[in-house]
């Protein structure tokens, strides 16, 4: 599990869990074991999380069951409705973490 900021810096990394473990199990473990070091969103702000996480105070996931990935919209279909527009914006903002991993892999 990794957390990064919009300057493409990793601010928290937790490795060692098998890939088959559910995201929330890793998230809950990180919060309980590293509570003092685990980054918490500032008041009235949110961290964007992927669809493997539920919405909870401070953490914002996309709407499930709707078009989500930024690449799906590049094919010409633009978002329709508030929920698809939210998912489009969420996906484009979450691209930061994907770029962080791309930069890390190239080093």
């Amino acid at each position: 599990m990794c957390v990064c900021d919009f300057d493409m810096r990793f601010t928290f990394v937790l490795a060692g869990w098998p890939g088959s473990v559910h995201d929330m199990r890793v998230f809950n473990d990180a919060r309980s074991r590293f509570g003092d070091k685990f980054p918490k969103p500032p008041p009235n702000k949110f961290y964007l999380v992927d669809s493997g996480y539920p919405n909870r105070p401070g953490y914002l996931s996309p709407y499930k069951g709707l078009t989500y990935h930024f690449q799906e919209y590049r094919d010409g279909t633009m978002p329709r409705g508030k929920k698809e527009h939210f998912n489009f914006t969420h996906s484009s903002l979450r691209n930061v973490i994907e770029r962080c991993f791309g930069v890390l892999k190239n080093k």
Side-chain angles (χ1 to χ4, degrees):
M1 183 179 94
C2 296
V3 179
C4 74
D5 61 18
F6 284 109
D7 293 323
M8 296 180 62
R9 293 178 298 199
F10 288 102
T11 58
F12 182 84
V13 176
L14 176 63
W17 281 88
S20 60
V21 174
H22 193 276
D23 292 343
M24 275 310 293
R25 186 168 175 202
V26 178
F27 179 82
N28 288 333
D29 177 63
R31 288 185 59 195
S32 65
R33 285 197 305 149
F34 303 100
D36 58 328
K37 294 179 178 66
F38 189 80
K40 293 164 188 63
N44 301 316
K45 302 288 182 181
F46 297 90
Y47 282 148
L48 299 177
V49 295
D50 67 27
S51 60
Y53 300 90
N55 279 324
R56 55 179 6 169
Y59 302 91
L60 200 55
S61 67
Y63 286 99
K64 293 176 178 32
L66 297 170
T67 303
Y68 174 70
H69 292 98
F70 187 68
Q71 294 83 0
E72 294 173 30
Y73 291 110
R74 286 197 324 203
D75 298 334
T77 306
M78 291 308 292
R80 287 172 278 175
K82 292 177 185 178
K83 291 180 180 180
E84 276 194 13
H85 186 70
F86 175 85
N87 279 5
F88 174 79
T89 304
H90 188 282
S91 175
S92 61
L93 291 171
R94 255 197 78 243
N95 258 348
V96 172
I97 192 84
E98 305 301 332
R99 289 195 324 266
C100 287
F101 279 110
V103 168
L104 182 64
K105 286 179 182 180
N106 285 328
K107 286 190 175 191

